[in-house]
Amino acid sequence: MKNFIFFGKPGAGKGTQAQRVKQKYGLIHISTGDLFRKHIANKTSLGKSVQVYLDKGALVPDRVTIDMLENEFQSAENPKGYILDGFPRTVGQAKSLERFFNRLKLNLNAVVSIEVDRQLLIDRLLNRGKISGRTDDLDIVKINNRFQEYDLKTNPLIEFYQSRNLFYPIDGHGTIHEISQRLYELIDHIS
C-alpha cells in the first residue's frame, strides 16, 4: 500500500497533482477541505461539529478531522493507498495522524512538498480565482494572509518529516505534465 501526504503552499498544485497520481496508481485522494464540505452538506454529526467551529472562525480540532479521516479509510474498499491533501497542517496534527496510522497499521511512504516561487503562486491563485470565483483567491491580502498562516504553522512540518526521513521536495514549476512526471519518478523510486 502506498500512502502519501501532498504538501505545499496554496496554489502549488496539490489537488491537481493528487488527481493525476490517483489516476496513475489507483490511490484514494482525500482532501480534508472536500471532506469538511461533504459532511456539512450531508448534515452528518461530524459535519455539524465542523460547522460549529467554522462559524466561530476557529480551527477544526484534530480529533474531529481524524474522525473524518477514519470514516473515509473505513469506507474504502480494497484501497491501494491514500493521498492526503490539506492535512496535517501543524506538528500537532502530524502527531495525531501518526498515531492514527499506527492504530491502522499503515505506513506513510512520503511527504511530497511541491515547491513553487511566491510570485508564481500568487499568479496561479489570482487566475484560479477568476475562473472559479473563489473570493479568497481574488484578494491579494487574503492570499498573503494564507501564506503567512502557512509559514507560521505548516513550515515546522518540514523539520518534523525530515527527522523521519519522509520529506521529499519537488520542483513545482513547469507544465502540469512536467510536474506530474517528477512526481511519478519520485513515487516509483521510493515505493
Side-chain angles (χ1 to χ4, degrees):
M1 186 177 283
K2 299 176 183 185
N3 298 301
F4 302 97
I5 294 170
F6 279 15
F7 189 75
K9 290 185 178 179
K14 298 178 299 292
T16 298
Q17 292 302 327
Q19 286 300 316
R20 294 174 68 93
V21 169
K22 169 187 169 179
Q23 293 293 324
K24 180 169 176 65
Y25 296 95
L27 305 178
I28 296 171
H29 173 214
I30 299 176
S31 161
T32 51
D34 291 346
L35 268 184
F36 291 163
R37 287 184 284 278
K38 178 179 100 173
H39 280 272
I40 290 168
N42 292 331
K43 297 181 174 28
T44 67
S45 61
L46 286 170
K48 290 174 186 173
S49 179
V50 166
Q51 191 66 59
V52 168
Y53 292 101
L54 296 180
D55 287 347
K56 293 178 186 175
L59 290 175
V60 177
D62 298 349
R63 182 72 249 153
V64 174
T65 305
I66 290 290
D67 286 346
M68 283 188 180
L69 287 174
E70 191 159 357
N71 190 9
E72 287 297 304
F73 276 58
Q74 288 174 347
S75 67
E77 293 182 29
N78 302 318
K80 293 181 179 177
Y82 297 90
I83 304 165
L84 297 181
D85 166 8
F87 189 83
R89 291 182 186 239
T90 66
V91 171
Q93 290 176 350
K95 290 177 180 177
S96 294
L97 183 65
E98 200 170 62
R99 288 188 296 274
F100 170 70
F101 268 47
N102 287 338
R103 197 169 66 247
L104 297 181
K105 297 183 179 14
L106 294 173
N107 290 318
L108 180 62
N109 294 76
V111 175
V112 180
S113 178
I114 302 172
E115 306 284 325
V116 183
D117 294 333
R118 186 181 184 98
Q119 188 56 52
L120 180 56
L121 291 172
I122 291 170
D123 294 345
R124 285 181 183 177
L125 289 169
L126 291 171
N127 187 50
R128 182 172 80 182
K130 289 176 192 168
I131 294 167
S132 71
R134 281 181 54 171
T135 57
D136 60 333
D137 286 344
L138 289 170
D139 185 329
I140 194 70
V141 172
K142 288 181 181 177
I143 290 170
N144 283 322
N145 285 344
R146 286 160 61 197
F147 288 158
Q148 185 176 13
E149 184 81 0
Y150 180 94
D151 290 340
L152 287 173
K153 293 183 178 173
T154 308
N155 262 348
L157 285 171
I158 295 171
E159 188 176 312
F160 178 83
Y161 284 116
Q162 282 174 333
S163 72
R164 285 156 172 76
N165 296 315
L166 292 170
F167 188 79
Y168 295 87
I170 68 152
D171 182 0
H173 298 89
T175 66
I176 290 171
H177 176 75
E178 290 168 339
I179 298 163
S180 296
Q181 290 304 311
R182 290 181 203 122
L183 270 169
Y184 302 155
E185 288 173 20
L186 174 64
I187 288 168
D188 291 341
H189 175 74
I190 61 178
S191 37

